[in-house]
């Protein structure tokens, strides 16, 4: 099996690994309930996608936001 010719120093390894960064996932707000959701997916809280209900068990009408329930 192929082997590296020289041992990489700790500095070189750590310098390479310093470029690895955590990626923050994209988040948009649901048009219906206003909760933070993944873009291009059905809202898991109210079952709406692009302002329309697409879940069978979800309510077909838009939810009127109630400030007291928050
Ligand atoms: Zn929603």
């Amino acid at each position: 099996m192929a082997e590296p010719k020289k041992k990489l120093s700790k500095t070189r390894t750590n310098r390479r690994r310093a470029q690895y960064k955590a990626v923050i996932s994209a988040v948009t707000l649901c048009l219906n309930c206003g909760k933070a959701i993944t873009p291009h997916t059905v809202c898991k809280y109210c079952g709406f996608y692009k302002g329309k209900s697409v879940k069978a068990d979800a309510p077909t009408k838009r939810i009127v936001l109630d400030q007291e329930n928050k």
Side-chain angles (χ1 to χ4, degrees):
M1 209 171 86
E3 292 291 331
K5 262 188 177 171
K6 290 267 166 71
K7 177 186 176 176
L8 279 184
S9 67
K10 284 185 228 167
T11 304
R12 202 157 172 185
T13 304
N14 292 340
R15 206 163 46 193
R16 185 186 65 244
R17 289 181 181 167
Q19 304 304 312
Y20 302 164
K21 291 163 187 111
V23 179
I24 301 165
S25 56
V27 162
T28 54
L29 297 179
C30 174
L31 289 172
N32 186 47
C33 66
K35 286 195 170 129
I37 54 164
T38 317
H40 311 290
T41 55
V42 176
C43 177
K44 63 178 177 180
Y45 303 101
C46 64
F48 270 63
Y49 183 73
K50 279 187 168 180
K52 284 181 184 173
S53 178
V54 290
K55 244 166 119 184
D57 55 339
T60 49
K61 283 184 180 174
R62 284 174 67 98
I63 298 167
V64 178
L65 288 176
D66 193 1
Q67 295 298 323
E68 288 173 4
N69 290 346
K70 279 190 173 178

